[in-house]
Amino acid sequence: MTPVFSSPTLPLADVFNASPNGVILLQPIWHVDGTVVDFAFTFINDRAFSKSGLLKGWQAGTTLLDWYAGKGRVGLFDQYVAVFQTGQSIHFSDYQPDEDEWYELTAARVGDQLMITFHDVTQANRALRLMQHQRDLLQTMLDTSPAGIVLYEAIRNDEGQIVDFRYVLTNPTNARVTNQSVAEMTGQLLSVVSPTAFYGDFLQVLVSVTETGVPRQFTFPFEGEGIRGWFESTFVRQADGVLFTFLDITALKDSEQQQELQARLLQTVVDVSQTGISLYRAVRESLPGEEVGSIQDFQVVLSNQQAQQNWGLPAEQSGNLTALGTQPDEPDPSSVLDRFVRVVETGRPETWETRSPVDGRWHKVLVAKADDGVVVASVDITESHLYQQRLEDANAALNRLNEKLQRFSAVASHDLQEPLRKVKFYGDMLLHEYAPTLTEEGVILLKTMREAAERMQRLIDNLLFYARLDAGLADAKPVDLQELVGQVIGDLSLNVQGAAIDVGPLPTVMGDRIQLGQLFQNLVNNALKYRRPDVSLRLQVRADRVTADELPQLLPQPTEPVSDGFWRIVMTDNGIGFEPRHAERIFQSFERLPGRTVGTGLGLAICKQVAENHGGFLTATGEPNQGATFTLYLPKATGEG
């Protein structure tokens, strides 16, 4: 559009057209009452028309109000009227949203017209907004960054040497680490904020990066000014200074150190363990079409000192150390490989005993699955193995001895007793048929010989009975002790004359009638043999029930629990008794107390063995010349009342 000048009084039109700014002249339109009601465009220079955003859609004859009404900008009209009426110019920025353009405008009265000058500041404004956006973005990054960020500026002396650094920029993360605020640190010197860093290696790193331009990156510990921690840092030169960024990895470092400490502690525990421990990883070979290859071998990953000692494993593991190469097993290592494979594939542990190829000691080996491999634990069982071997040897020797004893029993039951019976037979014949022809001394010698033969007979009988007791109970049956004791006393009727025997109600127990009969016979005989010569024998037998908890503490506890309790059978006499200190001695085989020569020395030993064969116990108490008490404990029969 070519500007149209309604007045030839504008000699400056050429000057306005040459201006780099847009120029618009407006002529006021007056109302009859003398007020300005509008403005008419009288001049628009070339620069104004070149800015289509500002005058886009303008046509000749359009007034200012018409123009603004079409653009929705009527509010500016009142400001222009005020400028014209007061003569005071205004300067403002105007944004054209349709075109996204910015303009700087000046409105002033020139004579009887209003002149508006403007220039396009869109590019500058956009650059400013971009800078502001970048500044805001940078500030957001600084404020929210988990890394500490510091921009240092070098402080130099007159000779150009760096003597300090100033905090040009920092962020909240760094401020939190230093226990200060961003405002407190900005502009401050390093020597003031952190003397520890200033007088340490940190300053030398800043100087080196500033002078050489070579970046530095490393992790370092720091302690000072209330700060203690580990930091992963980067130093990069920026102008005459350094951009320092860091991450606080104290928690991570503490965790690593704790893990290292625990690992060392665990390794120490494992190394001092007497159990050999080693870890093997499966070595697989994949074939075409196989997702998981088959196991070909196992490679040693680690082992403790005991495993190294047991199996000759080296302290430093090597890649070629495999299960086939070093194995805690028999001469055929493939059998161990098969076991390892089974454990990995089934997940079930396996255990076996084997000898070490290093020192020949015996070990118990346990193999369990561990990921794609196995952990092997081995315990030295040499002493146990040797003890087992000695035990087996002792059992074999005992079996041989038992065989000899059985042969001896056979010999004793026939070959020894047969000559003894002949001695007794011929001795009796001499006494009955030839006694009148013998001298008194000869008769005494024959009687002594006959008594010795009888004692020998009793000894052999007791020995055979005692030897058979080791077999225990062949077949337990109910035994009525009331009847049994009555029979024993009846069998000894000749010897019990003059004795007062009181037998209370006695129970029925499960056992061997012959063995129990021998027990009570020996106890009654014992009372008869050791009665006081000048006192009539009184013998009392009583029974009551006790629980397992009521048993004397000194008694051995039964090998199997007895839920129904025990019968306590007490036999008391008023004989010569014995010293309390001999209470255990009297039950020993062939043991006689001082001054007592009667008997074979096996009677009470047989009683004790019979009681134990029946799952019970036999104890004795006594006082000299006060009598003795024998207490027999026998388990009650299951379901017995």
Side-chain angles (χ1 to χ4, degrees):
M1 174 181 293
T2 303
V4 176
F5 298 95
S6 60
S7 174
T9 60
L10 293 173
L12 297 178
D14 292 338
V15 176
F16 289 158
N17 281 326
S19 173
N21 297 326
V23 179
I24 300 174
L25 292 178
L26 299 169
Q27 182 71 41
I29 299 175
W30 301 94
H31 192 268
V32 292
D33 60 1
T35 60
V36 178
V37 295
D38 204 347
F39 288 94
F41 287 86
T42 59
F43 178 78
I44 302 174
N45 72 346
D46 294 338
R47 177 64 65 178
F49 275 116
S50 67
K51 296 300 179 182
S52 59
L54 191 61
L55 294 173
K56 184 178 181 181
W58 183 86
Q59 295 179 358
T62 302
T63 66
L64 185 60
L65 277 177
D66 293 338
W67 172 245
Y68 277 165
K71 297 179 71 68
R73 306 291 299 280
V74 179
L76 288 175
F77 177 78
D78 295 336
Q79 297 185 46
Y80 289 158
V81 172
V83 170
F84 185 82
Q85 290 177 343
T86 63
Q88 295 181 355
S89 61
I90 61 173
H91 181 81
F92 61 94
S93 298
D94 187 40
Y95 176 63
Q96 298 294 318
D98 294 341
E99 302 300 324
D100 190 27
E101 293 179 345
W102 286 88
Y103 297 92
E104 291 290 328
L105 292 91
T106 300
R109 181 172 180 170
V110 179
D112 60 351
Q113 298 189 72
L114 180 67
M115 183 173 69
I116 299 175
T117 60
F118 63 89
H119 65 276
D120 188 349
V121 295
T122 300
Q123 296 301 324
N125 203 290
R126 288 177 179 172
L128 181 63
R129 284 190 295 169
L130 179 60
M131 290 178 58
Q132 185 62 44
H133 175 71
Q134 292 176 339
R135 185 180 299 110
D136 293 343
L137 181 60
L138 176 61
Q139 191 62 49
T140 301
M141 292 174 60
L142 289 173
D143 292 343
T144 61
S145 173
I149 301 174
V150 182
L151 178 60
Y152 290 106
E153 177 187 38
I155 304 298
R156 298 178 181 270
N157 60 15
D158 295 338
E159 288 76 24
Q161 297 175 334
I162 297 177
V163 295
D164 207 337
F165 282 87
R166 177 178 288 109
Y167 285 83
V168 177
L169 176 148
T170 187
N171 72 332
T173 299
N174 179 58
R176 284 194 297 270
V177 172
T178 58
N179 299 316
Q180 300 186 56
S181 67
V182 173
E184 289 174 336
M185 299 180 68
T186 303
Q188 293 294 323
L189 297 178
L190 175 64
S191 58
V192 175
V193 174
S194 181
T196 302
F198 180 78
Y199 291 105
D201 295 337
F202 187 82
L203 176 64
Q204 304 306 318
V205 174
L206 292 178
V207 172
S208 173
V209 173
T210 303
E211 299 290 11
T212 65
V214 178
R216 296 284 300 277
Q217 185 174 4
F218 55 88
T219 299
F220 67 93
F222 184 85
E223 186 170 0
E225 288 80 50
I227 306 170
R228 188 205 70 82
W230 282 84
F231 303 92
E232 190 175 81
S233 59
T234 301
F235 300 81
V236 179
R237 184 169 68 181
Q238 290 291 322
D240 193 29
V242 175
L243 178 64
F244 168 56
T245 60
F246 66 88
L247 283 174
D248 186 346
I249 60 171
T250 304
L252 177 61
K253 201 70 176 179
D254 289 345
S255 176
E256 289 178 353
Q257 291 178 339
Q258 186 65 26
Q259 290 178 0
E260 291 176 0
L261 177 62
Q262 291 177 347
R264 289 196 298 270
L265 179 61
L266 178 60
Q267 187 63 44
T268 301
V269 172
V270 171
D271 283 341
V272 300
S273 172
Q274 294 183 353
T275 300
I277 302 174
S278 55
L279 178 65
Y280 289 79
R281 181 176 57 245
V283 178
R284 296 179 179 270
E285 180 179 352
S286 299
L287 298 177
E290 287 185 340
E291 294 184 2
V292 179
S294 58
I295 299 176
Q296 304 298 314
D297 201 348
F298 285 84
Q299 183 178 6
V300 180
V301 177
L302 60 86
S303 60
N304 69 346
Q305 294 179 0
Q306 191 63 46
Q308 296 161 15
Q309 177 180 334
N310 291 347
W311 313 113
L313 300 179
E316 298 295 333
Q317 309 305 334
S318 59
N320 59 357
L321 186 60
T322 64
L324 289 173
T326 57
Q327 268 312 310
D329 198 35
E330 298 85 287
D332 181 11
S334 61
S335 62
V336 175
L337 180 62
D338 293 339
R339 285 171 169 155
F340 283 15
V341 172
R342 282 198 304 271
V343 170
V344 173
E345 292 179 347
T346 66
R348 293 192 296 269
E350 292 197 14
T351 183
W352 67 90
E353 294 182 4
T354 185
R355 298 187 71 176
S356 167
V358 177
D359 54 15
R361 295 183 67 83
W362 283 91
H363 295 266
K364 186 170 186 177
V365 179
L366 171 66
V367 180
K369 183 177 181 180
D371 196 16
D372 192 31
V374 295
V375 60
V376 180
S378 59
V379 179
D380 191 326
I381 59 169
T382 303
E383 297 304 323
S384 174
H385 196 277
L386 293 177
Y387 174 78
Q388 181 66 28
Q389 186 62 48
R390 289 195 296 268
L391 185 61
E392 292 176 359
D393 294 342
N395 286 336
L398 184 59
N399 289 333
R400 291 192 296 270
L401 180 60
N402 285 335
E403 292 177 359
K404 293 180 180 179
L405 287 175
Q406 291 175 0
R407 290 195 297 269
F408 169 77
S409 297
V411 171
S413 63
H414 181 269
D415 295 351
L416 290 181
Q417 294 197 64
E418 182 60 27
L420 187 60
R421 282 194 293 268
K422 290 181 179 180
V423 171
K424 289 177 58 181
F425 175 75
Y426 290 117
D428 290 340
M429 286 183 62
L430 287 174
L431 284 175
H432 286 89
E433 296 183 14
Y434 299 101
T437 62
L438 295 176
T439 64
E440 182 180 355
E441 182 180 1
V443 172
I444 292 174
L445 290 176
L446 278 175
K447 289 182 177 180
T448 301
M449 180 187 71
R450 182 172 174 273
E451 291 175 356
E454 289 178 350
R455 286 199 302 272
M456 184 65 179
Q457 181 68 55
R458 290 196 299 272
L459 178 60
I460 292 175
D461 291 341
N462 286 339
L463 274 174
L464 292 175
F465 188 85
Y466 188 68
R468 287 194 295 268
L469 288 178
D470 287 338
L473 296 180
D475 185 16
K477 295 179 180 179
V479 178
D480 185 345
L481 297 184
Q482 185 77 37
E483 177 189 352
L484 182 65
V485 173
Q487 181 180 341
V488 167
I489 294 175
D491 292 341
L492 299 174
S493 58
L494 295 178
N495 297 326
V496 299
Q497 292 180 357
I501 300 178
D502 181 13
V503 180
L506 299 181
T508 297
V509 298
M510 296 298 294
D512 185 297
R513 183 179 181 86
I514 295 177
Q515 290 189 21
L516 291 173
Q518 188 67 48
L519 180 149
F520 284 103
Q521 180 176 322
N522 289 353
L523 290 179
V524 173
N525 264 328
N526 192 74
L528 294 172
K529 286 187 295 185
Y530 299 115
R531 69 176 74 181
R532 284 183 285 172
D534 54 344
V535 177
S536 297
L537 174 65
R538 294 196 307 274
L539 181 63
Q540 185 183 66
V541 183
R542 291 287 185 268
D544 63 346
R545 287 174 291 189
V546 296
T547 65
D549 295 337
E550 295 176 305
L551 295 177
Q553 294 183 354
L554 296 178
L555 291 181
Q557 295 302 307
T559 56
E560 297 182 359
V562 180
S563 58
D564 293 331
F566 284 78
W567 285 110
R568 178 170 56 191
I569 303 163
V570 181
M571 181 179 292
T572 305
D573 66 51
N574 63 341
I576 65 175
F578 58 86
E579 293 284 349
R581 68 176 184 274
H582 298 316
E584 291 295 330
R585 180 180 174 185
I586 61 177
F587 291 112
Q588 297 178 10
S589 303
F590 303 108
E591 188 69 46
R592 294 189 182 91
L593 297 183
R596 303 186 186 186
T597 58
V598 182
T600 62
L602 283 173
L604 292 180
I606 290 174
C607 292
K608 184 174 184 295
Q609 185 63 52
V610 169
E612 292 176 358
N613 284 354
H614 286 73
F617 319 98
L618 180 62
T619 64
T621 58
E623 290 290 340
N625 295 319
Q626 298 296 320
T629 299
F630 291 88
T631 304
L632 172 65
Y633 296 89
L634 292 176
K636 289 175 58 180
T638 302
E640 182 183 354

